[in-house]
Amino acid sequence: MLDVCLLGCGGMMPLPKRFLTSLLIRHDGSNVLIDCGESTQVALHMSGFSTKNIDHILITHFHGDHVGGLPGLLMTIANNHRTEPLHIWGGQGLARIIRGLTVICGALPFELVIHELSFKERQTFQTGALEWTVQPVKHRVPCLAYSCYLPRGGRFDLARAEAAGIPKQYWSLLQKGESVEVDGHVFQPSDVLGAPRRGLRVSYATDCRPAPALVELVRDSDLFVAEGLYGDPAKQHDAAIKGHMVYSEACRIAAEANVRELWFTHFSPAMINPKEHLEAARKIFANCHVGHNLKMTTLRFDDDA
Amino acid sequence: MLDVCLLGCGGMMPLPKRFLTSLLIRHDGSNVLIDCGESTQVALHMSGFSTKNIDHILITHFHGDHVGGLPGLLMTIANNHRTEPLHIWGGQGLARIIRGLTVICGALPFELVIHELSFKERQTFQTGALEWTVQPVKHRVPCLAYSCYLPRGGRFDLARAEAAGIPKQYWSLLQKGESVEVDGHVFQPSDVLGAPRRGLRVSYATDCRPAPALVELVRDSDLFVAEGLYGDPAKQHDAAIKGHMVYSEACRIAAEANVRELWFTHFSPAMINPKEHLEAARKIFANCHVGHNLKMTTLRFDDDA
């Protein structure tokens, strides 16, 4: 299970009724935040998700609307008495940006662990059970798109477990992927589990142009959160010059990548009504939705067939 | 005439319904902003005051809730196509703080002129017609309180102007303080103006402990915007430890300094209802009021007696 909350849906600057684009993903009590603009901490406060339990912050790029809220959030987390290390992931130069922004933070009661990723090639890393893939994307400045995958083990084969004489109290350990020893005999998870099943994938791409590598990154996502700076397809040229996407472009990526659901975000402040061009977009990819402050969902594994 | 807008009234962190403490003063089309926390630009957007016309930003101290919104605001001002220099005033170390925070700003289309003030002694400077006095105050870190005075010239003496034979078209120049030449004779403003009259004074002191120098700074203010971290007088000891004031302390300063009107601000996030202790405060200083987001007033010169 993954809880997902789009904290805001704006681009460029926070507006009175539109927080800046930022995504929170919660799994197993640990929160991962992608991007942190000015006021993201206010949206977090309203969301009910704990700031203290943010263990990882992922930054797409160093434009102010994606990173300007970091010092304030770090201070609020400090004020909530976090002492565990907090990991920040982003492209090359991240340490310099963090060093600059935290000039107003004073001494934090937790360690900041900075992970600089490459802006040049696809990479992977892990946060808890979540497997992240990072893809450099084309914007006016170097930028990264993120996709996280929560794997799911194979189905537990009751008949095999009983036939092998494994006592019930060991079953949950095997299901969790651990081996167990019973009367001197070691059982592996593979002894009682079927082939791995479909997990859950959430992908996030903002401030970028479409590209084949982006399609591959988000392939088979349960949820794809993508920028739609404008809904109006007539503004595609304008968006392209600025290194952004319009709804129709995000829809084509979603369709090609076999995505299940698409949310638009990172709206231009000039776009007053993001729903205006939604119907046209749905002709390209039916299950697309306009993001809004605190848009939440909980993704669950498919029911077993 | 001075337009004054308390943009927010919170301390420590922005809350969903409480912007951080910041004051905007407008005179003659030019805006001066005191402090700029995260989300101050959102409050500005709602206030209707132009961000592009902010010519001066004054910083009390370098805690995040007073300066964390600077990079975002500067980027928004840049986006509004300002090209004129923008002046930032604050204590020693300001340049280092600005250098750190603007690491995410890229190239701004206007010059930032940094003015570092002393944290050790009273100083003065001028922005347009406004005469500023700066007073170091006692907080956990070095901090400044600001007071601005808009002077008012003497009353125009019609009888003297007519007796001197000064043509009417020169009267407004003399009223503005300029000398004029008429048929080879130079007239000075003092030839037709009485003694200077009472001007307007607005003072701002947050994150500080009471002190005699603070009383002197805010003496005879039309409006004193002062922190009241807590309303409850029982929390005075707690506030003092943190280098802050409670309502009653701000009231005593206002009473001693012959202030006309007092607004409380910089409320602790723990204080849910800032009005709770207002009646008790009014027994010390009657004309005190609880600040709120976008609390505005227009100060005008006294009617001539």
Side-chain angles (χ1 to χ4, degrees), chain A residues 12 16 38-39 41 46 79 100, chain B residues 12 16 38-39 41 46 79 100:
Chain A
M12 290 183 69
E38 196 181 342
S39 295
Q41 69 161 307
M46 293 168 75
N79 203 50
Chain B
M12 290 184 67
E38 195 181 343
S39 297
Q41 68 161 309
M46 293 169 74
N79 203 50

Side-chain angles (χ1 to χ4, degrees), chain A:
Chain A
M1 190 171 97
L2 287 178
D3 294 309
V4 181
C5 179
L6 183 66
L7 294 161
C9 57
M12 290 183 69
M13 64 192 71
L15 295 176
K17 304 218 172 221
R18 197 185 282 172
F19 291 119
L20 287 170
T21 293
S22 170
L23 193 76
L24 188 120
I25 297 175
R26 176 167 67 181
H27 175 66
D28 202 18
S30 174
N31 295 340
V32 179
L33 181 71
I34 313 183
D35 282 344
C36 183
E38 196 181 342
S39 295
T40 288
Q41 69 161 307
V42 182
L44 271 164
H45 184 107
M46 293 168 75
S47 75
F49 287 94
S50 158
T51 53
K52 193 185 169 190
N53 292 347
I54 294 175
D55 297 316
H56 299 268
I57 301 176
L58 282 46
I59 302 295
T60 56
H61 65 301
F62 306 141
H63 276 160
D65 52 337
H66 295 260
V67 73
L70 259 183
L73 177 62
L74 294 178
M75 283 184 285
T76 292
I77 292 173
N79 203 50
N80 290 340
H81 306 298
R82 182 184 176 99
T83 53
E84 302 82 9
L86 193 159
H87 298 259
I88 308 187
W89 305 77
Q92 284 142 354
L94 177 66
R96 185 180 68 88
I97 296 291
I98 301 294
R99 202 161 48 238
L101 289 175
T102 54
V103 70
I104 56 172
C105 287
L108 296 169
F110 51 86
E111 183 191 0
L112 282 184
V113 186
I114 310 293
H115 304 267
E116 291 203 353
L117 302 161
S118 166
F119 280 122
K120 297 204 171 143
E121 58 188 4
R122 178 169 295 198
Q123 299 132 91
T124 59
F125 64 91
Q126 188 128 1
T127 67
L130 302 180
E131 302 169 354
W132 290 88
T133 309
V134 191
Q135 175 62 50
V137 287
K138 193 180 168 193
H139 186 44
R140 279 176 305 158
V141 298
C143 185
L144 301 171
Y146 292 94
S147 181
C148 93
Y149 185 67
L150 175 63
R152 186 185 190 193
R155 183 201 298 266
F156 188 78
D157 190 329
L158 198 71
R160 280 167 72 188
E162 286 178 338
I166 307 170
K168 269 192 183 173
Q169 66 262 37
Y170 296 113
W171 292 5
S172 67
L173 291 173
L174 287 162
Q175 274 180 306
K176 284 177 187 162
E178 297 175 28
S179 57
V180 299
E181 189 178 334
V182 182
D183 298 335
H185 184 83
V186 175
F187 292 95
Q188 300 297 339
S190 58
D191 294 334
V192 293
L193 297 181
R197 289 167 291 182
R198 186 182 194 280
L200 293 171
R201 179 174 293 282
V202 177
S203 302
Y204 178 90
T206 179
D207 296 57
C208 62
R209 295 292 303 147
L214 186 52
V215 174
E216 286 319 303
L217 179 78
V218 310
R219 185 165 294 288
D220 296 329
S221 292
D222 295 80
L223 176 64
F224 177 29
V225 179
E227 86 155 337
L229 189 70
Y230 303 114
D232 187 352
K235 293 207 168 174
Q236 184 177 329
H237 180 67
D238 182 25
I241 289 171
K242 295 173 180 164
H244 290 281
M245 290 196 289
V246 296
Y247 287 7
S248 57
E249 293 173 309
C251 282
R252 277 191 284 273
I253 293 170
E256 195 179 339
N258 192 37
V259 159
R260 288 192 175 178
E261 183 169 344
L262 169 64
W263 292 359
F264 300 124
T265 188
H266 201 269
F267 306 134
S268 164
M271 185 159 70
I272 303 299
N273 176 15
K275 287 191 177 172
E276 194 187 354
H277 295 278
L278 187 59
E279 286 313 311
R282 285 183 169 165
K283 287 177 184 156
I284 304 169
F285 182 79
N287 198 20
C288 65
H289 304 268
V290 163
H292 56 73
N293 292 347
L294 309 181
K295 183 172 173 66
M296 299 196 203
T297 190
T298 297
L299 302 175
R300 297 172 197 280
F301 292 129
D302 289 344
D303 287 339
D304 288 334

Side-chain angles (χ1 to χ4, degrees), chain B residues 12-27:
Chain B
M12 290 184 67
M13 65 191 71
L15 294 176
K17 305 219 173 219
R18 197 184 282 173
F19 292 117
L20 287 169
T21 293
S22 170
L23 193 76
L24 188 119
I25 298 176
R26 176 167 67 181
H27 175 66

Side-chain angles (χ1 to χ4, degrees), chain B residues 11-178:
Chain B
M12 290 184 67
M13 65 191 71
L15 294 176
K17 305 219 173 219
R18 197 184 282 173
F19 292 117
L20 287 169
T21 293
S22 170
L23 193 76
L24 188 119
I25 298 176
R26 176 167 67 181
H27 175 66
D28 202 17
S30 174
N31 296 339
V32 178
L33 181 72
I34 313 183
D35 282 343
C36 183
E38 195 181 343
S39 297
T40 289
Q41 68 161 309
V42 182
L44 271 165
H45 183 107
M46 293 169 74
S47 75
F49 286 95
S50 159
T51 53
K52 193 186 168 188
N53 293 346
I54 295 175
D55 297 316
H56 299 268
I57 301 176
L58 282 46
I59 302 295
T60 56
H61 64 301
F62 307 141
H63 276 160
D65 52 336
H66 294 260
V67 73
L70 258 184
L73 177 62
L74 294 178
M75 282 185 284
T76 292
I77 292 173
N79 203 50
N80 290 339
H81 306 298
R82 182 184 176 98
T83 53
E84 303 82 9
L86 193 159
H87 298 259
I88 308 188
W89 305 76
Q92 284 141 354
L94 177 65
R96 186 181 67 87
I97 297 292
I98 300 294
R99 203 162 46 238
L101 289 176
T102 53
V103 70
I104 56 171
C105 286
L108 295 168
F110 51 84
E111 184 192 359
L112 282 184
V113 186
I114 310 292
H115 303 267
E116 290 203 354
L117 303 161
S118 167
F119 280 123
K120 298 206 168 140
E121 58 187 3
R122 179 169 295 197
Q123 301 131 91
T124 59
F125 64 91
Q126 189 129 0
T127 66
L130 301 181
E131 300 168 354
W132 291 88
T133 309
V134 191
Q135 176 62 50
V137 287
K138 193 182 168 193
H139 186 45
R140 279 176 304 159
V141 298
C143 185
L144 302 171
Y146 293 94
S147 182
C148 94
Y149 185 67
L150 175 63
R152 186 184 190 193
R155 183 200 298 267
F156 188 78
D157 189 329
L158 197 72
R160 280 167 71 189
E162 285 178 339
I166 306 170
K168 269 192 182 172
Q169 67 262 37
Y170 296 112
W171 291 7
S172 67
L173 291 173
L174 287 160
Q175 275 179 305
K176 284 177 187 162
E178 297 176 27

